[in-house]
Amino acid sequence: MRVSRLMLVTLRDDPAEAEISSHKLLLRAGYIRRVASGIYAYLPLLWRVLQKISAIVREEMNATGALETLLPQLQPADLWERSGRWAGYTAGEGIMFHLDDRQGRQLGLGPTHEEVITALAADLLRSYRQLPVTLYQIQTKFRDEIRPRFGLMRGREFIMKDAYSFHGDEASLQETYAAMDGAYRRIFRRCGLRAVAVEADSGAIGGSASQEFMVTAEAGEDLILASPDGRYAANQERAVSLPPDPVPLPAGPATALDTPAKSSIEALATAHGLDPSQIVKVLLLLARFADGSVQPLLVSLRGDQQLNEVKLSNAVAARAPQGAGAVLEIAPLDAERCRDWRLDLDLSAIPFGYIGPDLSDGLLTHAGSGLRRSFLRLADPTAAELPRFVCGANAPDRHRLGVSWSDLGETPQVLDLRAAQPGDRCRHDPSQILEAARGIEVGHIFQLGRKYSDALEATFTNDAGFDEALWMGCYGIGVSRLAQAAVEQNHDGDGMRWPVAIAPFEVIVVIANVQESSQRELAEQLYGQLLDAGIEVLLDDRSERAGVKFKDADLIGIPWRLVVGRGAATGQVELVRRADGEKADRPAEAVVAELVERIRQERSGVEFGV
RNA sequence: CGGGAUGUAGCGCAGCUUGGUAGCGCACUUCGUUCGGGACGAAGGGGCCGCAGGUUCGAAUCCUGUCAUCCCGACCA
């Protein structure tokens, strides 16, 4: 391809709308243009990248025996009503674009395809003899994100590879899940990306085991906690660790403590010579469900620990009354919340800053309609395992010293609710200390179990002749996000540095001065030879000055640059590697063979441990 | 949705406080010189100043409304 025919439009200044490097570079280098918030045109250079990524994904999926398919993007509402997700995905903060057709039927624009694929499976999969089977597609997804940002990182329209597997039993599901894990590691390695697999929360999709694949980059939206030995890595939402040992409280009888104006853990600890690990802090929160009801929560944590809201939300969801629906929001109880959620609560009766785990349900008796009349009482083990501790006395300016859980009556339900922190000891090996890194989630694999097959009555006949629900897995890769993550992980002050495996072109031949016929002729000759050798090559034949072409070549990030310039007359050319700027003069007659050999090796991707 | 900011030429910005009919750099067109790291000179084209009302003799500038975009939180590939 000749650069003069490439419709290459590069920008010298960073566009004001972009914040992170990869987004700025995609715009500046002419890879994308914004059409609306979170909606982008993929220009020819990016489209080549996306096709290369897709080809790698396709090869690895096919290698696992998965079948490529293409499912509709317009999906009928009734399918989603059967899985129980229509309301949640369309009302309020729902992310599904939806519309009515001319007959007044409701349709949604697919944010994901569990419903469609499960309905198909119910239709097509009848016998255990057909199982297991995995279907996948590479297609545009639509999500009306609450806040689109960072270009392709969080778009409202994006390209995703999604795969769904169907099994007769859980062991088969686990086998395919492991095969997908392997395929994903190969995909990211072949794309030349440094990626890590981390344990993950399964979120709104549901299911049991789930693992995310993160491209490590400073601009990543997720926090990863990992052990240096490589044996443990998890999203912070899900991470577990050993908390520091608490400082024991000196023996003695339980006593009351006057603590005026000491409503924070820090103030209380400082004023009374306590360590935060000797205190139980109690958080008073409200959880709002899809049906509008509100559950008050009383969460006990050791004073030096932080709450993990994802763990809490999962715990609340698991304990939700029948029919309450999904947990929409968890927030501290305050005046603003009471007003917004129209709760008639007497806040002045609540001793904020002095709450103990045994705060009476009586405070809720006059509460408004949607509010449940008793607290859901939960405690993290760090708090529950303290034999004696300090806690609020449920009266202003009063705490209790040296109390135990038996003094407080009923013990709350105990489960892991604390946020693991960098610096914590690992559970698998206490000598390992968790380290933090940021990552961009580019893949996520789930063992869904039977959630969707139960809802959509997708059953098969087992070898004993009885019907049972299919076991399912689902597996996603953000293809367009992956392209941007590659830029985020591979760039410098001059521009992008594409790994050869996914670069839009592998080589750019730059004619330093197109006025010089010797340069033009040699460049054309090399260009032809590279094309013949099956190399994806650009020829910069524009009548620009050399400096402009070098800047553009660096910006668009082509891995190899072949400069035909002053040395052309004597048959010398310059070979430059974009990744590290290494330059070397080469005789023109030898350089094609050398490039072909190096590129052939690099096409398979970089060897990184995943 | 809550909090913050910004809309002026394709891109980056000034002008707005103190109203007088729009400017700079890059990009684009033509000519000349230059030619290995975003050249120089000359000449040119391109703007319902986001949109709609209002105030005024007169609005990019003041007022009201509205729309859009970006940033911080909840969502996710």
Side-chain angles (χ1 to χ4, degrees):
Chain A
M1 186 73 208
R2 288 165 195 274
V3 177
S4 61
R5 305 282 83 213
L6 190 60
M7 196 178 78
L8 181 66
V9 179
T10 58
L11 305 174
R12 190 176 297 209
D13 299 311
D14 282 334
E17 71 186 52
E19 191 72 11
I20 63 175
S21 305
S22 54
H23 187 195
K24 289 177 183 169
L25 288 172
L26 286 169
L27 287 163
R28 274 190 61 205
Y31 280 68
I32 59 172
R33 278 294 160 106
R34 191 181 65 77
V35 173
S37 178
I39 300 176
Y40 290 84
Y42 309 132
L43 300 179
L45 284 175
L46 183 70
W47 184 238
R48 291 181 69 100
V49 172
L50 294 173
Q51 286 180 307
K52 285 194 162 187
I53 295 169
S54 299
I56 291 170
V57 169
R58 195 169 272 128
E59 278 178 32
E60 292 297 339
M61 295 310 293
N62 291 347
T64 68
L67 304 165
E68 186 165 6
T69 182
L70 192 60
L71 303 170
Q73 288 162 312
L74 274 173
Q75 305 180 7
D78 66 278
L79 262 184
W80 285 74
E81 270 156 6
R82 283 168 63 193
S83 71
R85 295 208 293 183
W86 178 260
Y89 268 69
T90 57
E93 310 232 302
I95 56 161
M96 183 154 60
F97 288 105
H98 52 103
L99 58 136
D100 295 345
D101 69 13
R102 64 174 72 241
Q103 320 285 1
R105 290 176 294 228
Q106 288 191 294
L107 298 167
L109 220 38
T112 177
H113 281 77
E114 280 85 7
E115 280 76 4
V116 170
I117 198 82
T118 308
L120 280 170
D123 192 15
L124 297 168
L125 298 175
R126 305 267 166 84
S127 160
Y128 73 97
R129 294 175 198 274
Q130 294 170 285
L131 303 176
V133 61
T134 303
L135 292 160
Y136 77 96
Q137 59 172 346
I138 298 173
Q139 193 199 44
T140 297
K141 292 277 188 282
F142 299 90
R143 292 186 188 170
D144 194 359
E145 288 287 341
I146 301 163
R147 180 149 91 92
R149 57 184 143 170
F150 304 143
L152 306 180
M153 288 292 192
R154 183 177 298 283
R156 295 196 293 170
E157 184 183 317
F158 60 97
I159 299 176
M160 178 173 170
K161 185 284 297 179
D162 51 327
Y164 306 87
S165 66
F166 299 91
H167 311 269
D169 56 49
E170 192 170 13
S172 169
L173 166 59
Q174 284 165 352
E175 215 169 281
T176 296
Y177 181 81
M180 287 293 159
D181 179 21
Y184 272 44
R185 288 167 198 261
R186 285 190 297 278
I187 287 165
F188 300 126
R189 191 169 61 233
R190 286 185 57 187
C191 288
L193 297 176
R194 295 181 297 279
V196 291
V198 305
E199 288 181 14
D201 182 71
S202 41
I205 310 248
S208 51
S210 124
Q211 185 169 271
E212 291 169 333
F213 293 84
M214 300 281 194
V215 168
T216 50
E218 274 306 305
E221 292 185 89
D222 290 282
L223 189 67
I224 303 165
L225 295 176
S227 65
D229 67 5
R231 289 170 60 201
Y232 181 76
N235 192 314
Q236 192 189 27
E237 292 176 348
R238 154 102 188 190
V240 294
S241 65
L242 296 174
D245 290 329
V247 176
L249 206 57
T255 54
L257 203 56
D258 277 324
T259 53
K262 300 291 177 290
S263 59
S264 73
I265 297 289
E266 197 186 336
L268 177 64
T270 315
H272 295 274
L274 296 166
D275 186 89
S277 69
Q278 299 170 323
I279 303 167
V280 167
K281 69 175 165 190
V282 179
L283 307 177
L284 182 44
L285 306 164
L286 297 176
R288 189 163 59 94
F289 292 99
D291 72 348
S293 64
V294 174
Q295 171 69 61
L297 311 172
L298 220 43
V299 179
S300 299
L301 280 170
R302 204 172 74 193
D304 60 328
Q305 298 300 311
Q306 299 301 316
L307 176 68
N308 179 319
E309 290 190 27
V310 173
K311 291 179 181 177
L312 175 63
S313 176
N314 288 339
V316 172
R319 288 160 180 76
Q322 278 265 315
V327 178
L328 295 184
E329 193 179 352
I330 293 183
L333 170 58
D334 56 27
E336 191 187 349
R337 211 68 56 179
C338 284
R339 192 191 62 223
D340 291 350
W341 296 358
R342 298 200 185 87
L343 304 175
D344 178 28
L345 253 183
D346 182 10
L347 291 181
S348 65
I350 300 173
F352 287 107
Y354 302 91
I355 295 172
D358 54 342
L359 186 68
S360 166
D361 286 341
L363 289 167
L364 303 169
T365 48
H366 301 293
S369 57
L371 193 74
R372 293 179 201 285
R373 301 299 170 88
S374 62
F375 288 109
L376 176 60
R377 295 166 195 266
L378 302 171
D380 183 76
T382 51
E385 287 165 8
L386 288 175
R388 300 173 64 250
F389 51 88
V390 176
C391 70
N394 294 324
D397 303 332
R398 305 278 287 173
H399 278 83
R400 288 166 287 186
L401 173 68
V403 291
S404 66
W405 287 100
S406 59
D407 300 335
L408 300 179
E410 195 187 346
T411 314
Q413 301 179 48
V414 179
L415 76 167
D416 178 29
L417 293 170
R418 61 180 279 276
Q421 304 281 354
D424 284 351
R425 296 165 298 160
C426 293
R427 283 194 181 175
H428 75 276
D429 176 356
S431 73
Q432 291 286 313
I433 303 301
L434 281 182
E435 293 173 347
R438 300 209 71 88
I440 300 162
E441 184 189 350
V442 292
H444 201 157
I445 59 178
F446 301 81
Q447 292 182 29
L448 288 179
R450 294 163 135 174
K451 173 176 172 179
Y452 295 93
S453 53
D454 276 336
L456 293 157
E457 293 168 334
T459 61
F460 69 103
T461 307
N462 65 19
D463 56 3
F466 297 109
D467 277 3
E468 56 178 303
L470 289 157
W471 290 82
M472 290 177 59
C474 81
Y475 318 92
I477 289 180
V479 172
S480 44
R481 179 185 280 185
L482 192 156
Q484 183 167 342
V487 177
E488 195 58 44
Q489 197 176 63
N490 299 286
H491 71 273
D492 61 19
D494 292 321
M496 306 173 171
R497 298 196 301 206
W498 289 106
V500 167
I502 60 173
F505 289 91
E506 295 161 328
V507 181
I508 181 166
V509 177
V510 175
I511 308 172
N513 184 345
V514 291
Q515 322 261 310
E516 293 286 338
S517 59
S518 62
Q519 295 185 17
R520 252 186 0 249
E521 284 159 19
L522 182 56
E524 290 282 354
Q525 195 186 324
L526 291 168
Y527 174 59
Q529 288 171 6
L530 287 164
L531 280 178
D532 290 345
I535 301 293
E536 297 180 356
V537 56
L538 274 176
L539 176 66
D540 197 342
D541 58 339
R542 296 175 298 171
S543 56
E544 292 287 349
R545 295 160 60 87
V548 172
K549 300 197 213 182
F550 294 157
K551 288 287 186 191
D552 275 344
D554 287 347
L555 181 60
I556 66 177
I558 307 303
W560 291 99
R561 188 173 89 211
L562 202 49
V563 183
V564 182
R566 291 193 198 102
T570 57
Q572 290 288 310
V573 296
E574 186 186 51
L575 183 59
V576 187
R577 182 160 59 193
R578 179 69 184 89
D580 58 6
E582 186 191 283
K583 296 180 182 180
D585 285 329
R586 291 282 189 270
E589 59 268 22
V591 77
V592 170
E594 178 185 349
L595 260 180
V596 168
E597 176 57 23
R598 299 178 86 152
I599 287 172
R600 204 175 53 78
Q601 286 171 10
E602 291 170 347
R603 277 177 180 166
S604 56
V606 191
E607 287 295 322
F608 290 117
V610 175

